[in-house]
Amino acid sequence: MTDVPNGLASLVVVVLLLGLTVLTWFVARRAFLPVAVHNGVWAVTLTLVASGLIAYHRASLAAWGVLVVGLVFFSIGAWGGAALGSRTARKADLAPRDHALVSRRTLLILSGAYVVGFATYLWTILQRFGWETFLFQPVAIRGATESYLAGVPLWARVLMYVGPLLLALLIVPGSVRGGLAWWWRVPGAAMLAVSMLALLQRTNLFAGVLLAIGALLLLLYGRARDDGASRGWYRRRWVPVAVIGGIGLGALVAFQVLAGALGKTGDVGANVSPLLSASGLSSPFIYLTAGVPAFLSLVDSTNGAWPPTGGSRVVYGDYNPQTFGTAYFEPVLSFLPGFRTWNPVAPFADVGTLTNVYTWVEPFYRDGRVIGVAVGVAAIGALVAYLFATRRASATRWWLAALLVSTLFLATFTQKTNNTLYLVTAAIIVVLGIVNARRRGRT
């Protein structure tokens, strides 16, 4: 197989993504926002790959072709989802409604549930490791032989899953019926973000931040339409841009602070340019870009063996067995006896730097190769575009659309539509929607 330069291949794909985005505006405008976000995230990432700041290993033309299939079929699926959403909207005669998902009382109940879960987590960690280790040596906690979360009750972890949605509800205007003054929302969001940093991992915090950004983008996109409580907030166009930019910058700072505390400062090996190493941004750069060459190397791998289980928690190698559905559906199948599921903590591969993330296309490729990529990515594109096109039907659908849009920001990193945290968040949104419907039925 002939390898192609990363720079050339990346830039060709970027041009293709720009063309698909423009085409979407004309053929399926109802799908434009999700397609623009998806293609924009990939375009930025591929441009950074093409920069050569990290000398990633080259991949074959065939591997790039499989990646292109995934990118193109997302747009195709989104066009179909938008068309279905348009017909559904006409049949149901959907009226614009606000996106208020909770009342003040419900927000207080959610906050209390999170506080109970977090307090239980904190007490468990302090009992095991002590205040001094927790505050000054978090690396020792994360590096413990037995997982530092092992002693935290399952029910407490589930309660902490409320955190990302709660953070987004506090950030996004109009999310609480009757409104909530900024002097409640801002301190509440800040304290919640700090508590998420205390979890010693970035998953919950970034899930909440990205959900908030996804919801804010939905508000921004609908500023010229009747989006209820959001209209006043968008009277000045620079306000939402500044807020979204500020949230993104704050998330980057939090990423770096926690990375430094946990010793995750990125690879500074020979393949990383001195300029990138000196900037202190090698860690987020690797998180953003390394999944692309990792997925390409996965396609090129001929190692059909399953990775070893047991023993060391860290596995290295280019393992590439076909998993026939047990990769994407692992969160469900892992609870059923008799299924050998793919471990979502994948082996580390050397692609110029070490990484074990392979973009969100990975489970579809592992399960069904190129056909799995086409079908799986098209299905996600159709779902997110359908929910986006019909988002004004209810606050529940609006927030589910925002949740799916938030997963697009991680498309070059890892698959989140099958992640337990995101599935629980979706379930909470649905339950809150049912509570809303019953409340309206009684009034």
Side-chain angles (χ1 to χ4, degrees):
M1 293 184 291
T2 303
D3 293 343
V4 294
N6 290 329
L8 175 62
S10 296
L11 294 179
V12 169
V13 177
V14 167
V15 172
L16 172 64
L17 290 169
L18 293 176
L20 287 170
T21 306
V22 173
L23 183 60
T24 300
W25 179 259
F26 293 102
V27 303
R29 194 165 299 183
R30 287 181 182 269
F32 182 74
L33 178 65
V35 169
V37 171
H38 172 269
N39 291 355
V41 168
W42 277 100
V44 169
T45 299
L46 289 167
T47 301
L48 293 176
V49 170
S51 71
L53 290 173
I54 295 181
Y56 288 123
H57 297 166
R58 293 184 176 187
S60 70
L61 186 61
W64 280 100
V66 174
L67 181 61
V68 166
V69 167
L71 301 181
V72 171
F73 270 81
F74 178 86
S75 293
I76 293 174
W79 299 342
L84 179 61
S86 298
R87 286 202 295 269
T88 302
R90 287 195 296 270
K91 289 178 181 178
D93 192 24
L94 301 176
R97 298 176 184 172
D98 64 58
H99 57 279
L101 185 65
V102 297
S103 64
R104 295 175 184 175
R105 178 182 296 178
T106 304
L107 183 70
L108 184 62
I109 293 172
L110 291 175
S111 301
Y114 178 82
V115 168
V116 170
F118 176 75
T120 303
Y121 154 80
L122 189 60
W123 174 257
T124 304
I125 296 299
L126 294 180
Q127 287 291 103
R128 179 178 172 186
F129 297 99
W131 273 106
E132 185 175 351
T133 303
F134 178 74
L135 292 175
F136 303 110
Q137 294 180 310
V139 176
I141 297 177
R142 283 296 303 268
T145 303
E146 184 182 18
S147 171
Y148 75 108
L149 294 174
V152 181
L154 178 61
W155 62 264
R157 299 189 213 179
V158 172
L159 289 180
M160 286 190 292
Y161 280 167
V162 174
L165 178 60
L166 186 59
L167 182 64
L169 291 172
L170 289 170
I171 291 174
V172 179
S175 302
V176 181
R177 285 194 302 276
L180 192 66
W182 68 267
W183 55 80
W184 288 108
R185 291 193 292 115
V186 173
M191 288 189 293
L192 187 57
V194 171
S195 74
M196 289 180 173
L197 288 175
L199 298 179
L200 304 182
Q201 44 90 2
R202 293 164 281 203
T203 304
N204 288 31
L205 176 60
F206 275 84
V209 167
L210 293 179
L211 176 55
I213 291 176
L216 290 172
L217 285 176
L218 261 61
L219 287 180
L220 179 60
Y221 189 82
R223 68 183 184 273
R225 299 166 176 82
D226 185 4
D227 273 339
S230 68
R231 284 179 295 170
W233 195 60
Y234 287 104
R235 220 164 267 155
R236 296 181 177 88
R237 292 190 178 185
W238 61 268
V239 173
V241 175
V243 170
I244 293 173
I247 293 172
L249 180 61
L252 178 60
V253 171
F255 182 97
Q256 288 293 82
V257 168
L258 192 56
L262 298 177
K264 296 183 177 183
T265 55
D267 193 340
V268 291
N271 286 345
V272 180
S273 72
L275 177 64
L276 181 59
S277 297
S279 71
L281 296 175
S282 59
S283 180
F285 189 97
I286 291 171
Y287 270 90
L288 180 61
T289 61
V292 174
F295 176 74
L296 297 173
S297 71
L298 177 66
V299 177
D300 283 337
S301 171
T302 58
N303 179 9
W306 284 74
T309 58
S312 173
R313 290 165 56 185
V314 180
V315 178
Y316 299 89
D318 61 344
Y319 299 98
N320 186 23
Q322 188 166 356
T323 50
F324 299 102
T326 62
Y328 184 79
F329 295 104
E330 181 275 335
V332 176
L333 296 178
S334 60
F335 290 101
L336 302 177
F339 283 96
R340 184 184 189 182
T341 58
W342 179 259
N343 188 344
V345 182
F348 280 83
D350 183 3
V351 293
T353 185
L354 287 173
T355 184
N356 69 335
V357 294
Y358 297 79
T359 79
W360 79 339
V361 187
E362 174 203 4
F364 299 128
Y365 180 77
R366 291 193 186 279
D367 285 340
R369 301 316 191 203
V370 66
I371 295 176
V373 169
V375 173
V377 175
I380 293 180
L383 180 60
V384 65
Y386 175 79
L387 286 172
F388 176 72
T390 62
R391 67 193 182 280
R392 293 188 295 174
S394 68
T396 302
R397 197 172 298 198
W398 196 94
W399 279 97
L400 288 175
L403 180 65
L404 276 175
V405 168
S406 76
T407 67
L408 303 180
F409 294 108
L410 297 169
T412 62
F413 181 66
T414 188
Q415 181 60 251
K416 289 297 184 182
T417 60
N418 65 340
N419 176 270
T420 303
L421 174 60
Y422 284 76
L423 292 175
V424 170
T425 301
I428 294 172
I429 291 172
V430 171
V431 170
L432 292 174
I434 294 172
V435 171
N436 268 343
R438 289 184 175 178
R439 178 180 177 275
R440 288 193 179 105
R442 292 195 299 267
T443 57

